[in-house]
Amino acid sequence: MPNNPRRIEILTFPDSQLLDVAGPLQVFATANDLAALADKARPYKTVVVAQCAQVRTSSGLALAASPLPSPDAPLDTLVVAGGWGVNAACENRDLVEWVRGRSKAARRTASVCSGAFLLATAGLLDGRRVVTHWQRCAEFTKRFPLVRLDPDPIFVSDGDMWTSAGVTAGIDLALALIEIDLGRKAALAVGRQLVVFLKRPGGQSQFSTALSLQENDGRFDQLHAWIMENLSRPLPLAALAARVNMSSRSFSRHYRQVTGLTPARAIEDIRIETARRLLDEGQSVARVSRRCGFGSEETMRRAFLRHFGTSPKAYRERFAG
């Protein structure tokens, strides 16, 4: 534990996303709280900074902020929030220049959600592998062709640059930074204190198959819930069609019209996503294969190779917590 706390600055601006600021801020604050309870030195000094003393977030809640420090003042970590206000922030030449200079002074720089737009505008992400909110990936790629955008992960680290996906992914990123600084035990303790359901590794997708399948007229929502509850069972087309009182042919046609997927592809996607989550939790490949209804480890291995170019065993060894 360091005698001098690591200084963490979280940059906000008008119409920033509240959780982009508050999520990481609370993670670092909780690490401090747990250290104090254990009679240890507080590992972090967190400061919310902005160009003005009070910043109104997009939720309507105003945040009190400290002035922007001198760009070359000592700093451990710079965290840049996102939100729709990032568009105006990117046009603020003084702020962009400050971010560029402040990043040079920092040991590492991170962005939450669309905060990556501000880092990219400052020229800090050229040639780097990054991620941002899925909804703005196409726009990001068009605006910053020199940046290697990966639209899938929860967060990405490329050298001293860290970027994260949408909103709550800032919590995952902050937990990952704490794990590097203080160790896995400390990061898990913070996660438990915050009642974070799952400490997600960076390789986990920010996309949810179950959620994306709900982005329709709701006609098959009950079917999808039933599929999730019966994933370990064989799920032939006839059984699915019977659940919605349709013929197999009619069901296949309507399902594809509504979801854009064949029933078989949708089930495989759900099984793959569930398998990833269970492997992330450290469950064995054999157990995951049974629970997700692949029928055999070999079937699951082939599915993983098709989707990710790696085997379940290799995936588990890389990401399991």
Side-chain angles (χ1 to χ4, degrees):
M1 191 77 68
N3 293 324
N4 296 319
R6 297 174 171 88
R7 181 178 173 91
I8 310 286
E9 291 176 2
I10 302 177
L11 174 66
T12 186
F13 41 78
D15 288 324
S16 60
Q17 165 64 246
L18 175 61
L19 274 177
D20 287 6
V21 179
L25 179 65
Q26 186 58 60
V27 171
F28 293 119
T30 299
N32 283 342
D33 292 342
L34 294 179
L37 289 172
D39 292 323
K40 296 180 179 180
R42 294 175 183 267
Y44 299 107
K45 179 180 180 180
T46 53
V47 186
V48 176
V49 300
Q51 285 182 307
C52 49
Q54 190 175 78
V55 175
R56 186 179 180 87
T57 64
S58 59
S59 67
L61 182 66
L63 299 176
S66 298
L68 297 180
S70 171
D72 57 359
L75 176 64
D76 183 86
T77 305
L78 173 65
V79 179
V80 176
W84 291 113
V86 78
N87 295 334
C90 288
E91 296 177 1
N92 185 326
R93 292 184 179 181
D94 290 340
L95 185 60
V96 170
E97 185 61 31
W98 181 87
V99 168
R100 185 182 297 116
R102 202 69 182 120
S103 179
K104 293 178 181 178
R107 177 170 67 95
R108 62 193 175 194
T109 299
S111 65
V112 182
C113 193
S114 56
F117 280 76
L118 189 49
L119 295 185
T121 299
L124 299 172
L125 300 182
D126 288 355
R128 305 263 192 168
R129 176 173 172 259
V130 308
V131 66
T132 191
H133 192 289
W134 63 268
Q135 197 171 32
R136 303 193 68 180
C137 284
E139 176 190 357
F140 187 94
T141 300
K142 185 176 181 179
R143 286 178 60 177
F144 307 109
L146 298 180
V147 182
R148 296 187 293 119
L149 180 71
D150 185 343
D152 194 47
I154 294 294
F155 60 83
V156 167
S157 63
D158 188 330
D160 59 356
M161 289 288 167
W162 293 69
T163 52
S164 62
V167 194
T168 59
I171 294 174
D172 300 284
L173 182 146
L175 285 169
L177 297 179
I178 287 176
E179 182 172 355
I180 290 174
D181 294 343
L182 310 178
R184 181 170 179 78
K185 184 177 179 181
L188 290 174
V190 172
R192 285 194 297 268
Q193 183 68 21
L194 294 175
V195 199
V196 177
F197 174 68
L198 175 67
K199 182 180 177 295
R200 300 179 292 182
Q204 184 167 318
S205 176
Q206 65 169 308
F207 299 99
S208 167
T209 300
L211 285 176
S212 65
L213 289 174
Q214 291 176 18
E215 294 178 353
N216 52 58
D217 59 10
R219 194 183 320 176
F220 297 115
D221 283 359
Q222 290 186 350
L223 174 65
H224 293 142
W226 180 82
I227 290 172
M228 294 294 292
E229 292 172 357
N230 294 273
L231 207 55
S232 63
R233 299 171 47 184
L235 296 172
L237 179 63
L240 301 178
R243 293 292 305 180
V244 292
N245 299 314
M246 300 173 73
S247 69
S248 295
R249 174 181 287 185
S250 180
F251 168 67
S252 292
R253 183 176 69 256
H254 285 285
Y255 189 87
R256 187 160 192 169
Q257 287 175 348
V258 170
T259 68
L261 300 172
T262 65
R265 176 57 189 270
I267 289 173
E268 179 172 276
D269 286 353
I270 292 172
R271 283 181 164 142
I272 282 285
E273 182 177 272
T274 305
R276 289 178 72 171
R277 176 175 58 80
L278 296 176
L279 291 172
D280 290 341
E281 295 173 2
Q283 296 193 29
S284 70
V285 173
R287 178 176 174 79
V288 171
S289 174
R290 291 193 300 271
R291 289 188 60 179
C292 295
F294 283 102
S296 69
E297 292 182 47
E298 176 59 24
T299 300
M300 187 169 83
R301 188 185 73 84
R302 290 198 300 267
F304 264 67
L305 288 173
R306 283 197 303 274
H307 283 256
F308 312 123
T310 190
S311 69
K313 181 179 179 181
Y315 179 91
R316 183 178 181 273
E317 290 173 349
R318 181 178 180 186
F319 295 117

